[in-house]
Every structure is written in C-alpha cells, then in structure tokens.
Amino acid sequence: MFEGKLTQKQRAFAEEVFKGTSATQSYTLAGYSVKTRTVASVEASKLLKNPSVSAYLNYLKSEKEKSVVIDEVKLILELQAIGLSRVDQLIDLSTGQMLPKEELLKNPSALAAISDLSIDEVETDQGIRRKRKLKMHPKIQAIETLLRVSGYLSDINLGLRIMESYGCKLRQNKDGKWMIEE
C-alpha cells in the first residue's frame, strides 16, 4: 500500500501516466481544468516532478514488476510440471486404467500435464462402457522451453559444456575475464 500523500487528482494523474497515457492528456483526464493544451503540458510536467507523484509512479512500477515476477514463476512451474510429468502419475500401469479422480486431484502437477481428456460412452452387449482418452502436453517442448528460459541453451553455455566435455573448464572471474579453471 502506498503511504505517501496525494490528492485524488494527483493519484488519477499518476495512474493515467502509468497506463501509458501522455502526461498532458493524463492531466486533463485526472480532472484538472485546462485553458490551453500548452498550459496543460506545462502543468503536467510540473506534476511529474512532484516528489509525491514521482514516488507513487515508482510504487506502481514496483508493484507491476512484482506481479510480472510472480507470473513468470507460475509459468516456469507449469512448464516443470509438464516436462517432469510421468504417465504413471495419471494411469495405473498394471491395468491401463486412469487413476481414480481422488488420486489425480492429490497431484496438481500431474493434472497440469494433461492437455485433453475426453470420455466417450460406447454401447456394448454388457451395457454402456466408458472409454477415456487422455492426451498429455508434449514433454520435449516443455523441457526445451525450460532450458531456453533458464539460459542453458545459450551459445555461451553450450560452448562451455562442449569445452568441459574435453576437460577444459572455463570460468568468468569477478572482472568478467575468462580463466581456465584447474
């Protein structure tokens, strides 16, 4: 929660600027009376320099950055669930039947790996039989995406791993220079 003191108009102005609206237009949208566009531009510029308004804009930016980091973490966890999922978390391998709903619900990461689940009812001599089809998200694609996002597949990391496979370990020191590690 922002602790600084702002008027209602200052808060509205900062929120409009944060959304990407020009400062001049934000000034008008915030409810300030405007004689000319030039006056609005000058007053908006002054308002941007106001310490409380500036602090509120910084607060809004930091809150947005936090939500982006959280979203990024959620996406990585979802990719991990898909990439590390195993079919035995969903199906009883001895019978070929899907695990009971109660068992599946205990393992949300296994559920994340399911891309499609359909249940068809087939009429047989013994009555109606349910045929379940389960499709999982592609593991390889999820693993490749995780490796790419983590930087593991970058050219420099691939080069370092190749060098390591030949017994040459390179490491970057604090100055950014590459050194052979013994």
Side-chain angles (χ1 to χ4, degrees), residues 39 87 94:
V39 171
V87 73
S94 61

Side-chain angles (χ1 to χ4, degrees), residues 52-75:
S52 295
V53 171
S54 180
Y56 186 54
L57 280 167
N58 287 333
Y59 167 78
L60 292 172
K61 288 175 189 172
S62 69
E63 288 299 304
K64 179 69 174 174
E65 287 170 2
K66 286 178 193 174
S67 70
V68 169
V69 169
I70 290 168
D71 290 346
E72 187 177 307
V73 168
K74 285 180 185 176
L75 291 171

Side-chain angles (χ1 to χ4, degrees), residues 36-142:
T36 67
R37 185 164 172 76
T38 305
V39 171
S41 179
V42 170
E43 292 302 316
S45 180
K46 288 180 186 175
L47 209 48
L48 284 172
K49 294 174 186 171
N50 178 305
S52 295
V53 171
S54 180
Y56 186 54
L57 280 167
N58 287 333
Y59 167 78
L60 292 172
K61 288 175 189 172
S62 69
E63 288 299 304
K64 179 69 174 174
E65 287 170 2
K66 286 178 193 174
S67 70
V68 169
V69 169
I70 290 168
D71 290 346
E72 187 177 307
V73 168
K74 285 180 185 176
L75 291 171
I76 289 172
L77 290 173
E78 191 78 7
L79 284 169
Q80 284 177 335
I82 294 166
L84 303 175
S85 65
R86 298 186 330 261
V87 73
D88 66 342
Q89 294 172 318
L90 303 167
I91 296 172
D92 181 341
L93 295 178
S94 61
T95 65
Q97 297 291 315
M98 269 183 50
L99 294 174
K101 180 181 174 181
E102 298 76 31
E103 285 294 312
L104 291 173
L105 292 174
K106 290 179 187 176
N107 193 347
S109 63
L111 291 175
I114 299 173
S115 70
D116 188 37
L117 174 62
S118 61
I119 302 172
D120 297 326
E121 291 187 353
V122 179
E123 200 168 322
T124 65
D125 294 341
Q126 292 123 2
I128 295 177
R129 184 169 175 241
R130 289 189 176 147
K131 183 177 180 182
R132 296 179 184 101
K133 291 181 185 176
L134 178 73
K135 184 176 178 183
M136 295 176 72
H137 290 289
K139 287 176 62 110
I140 297 296
Q141 189 177 359

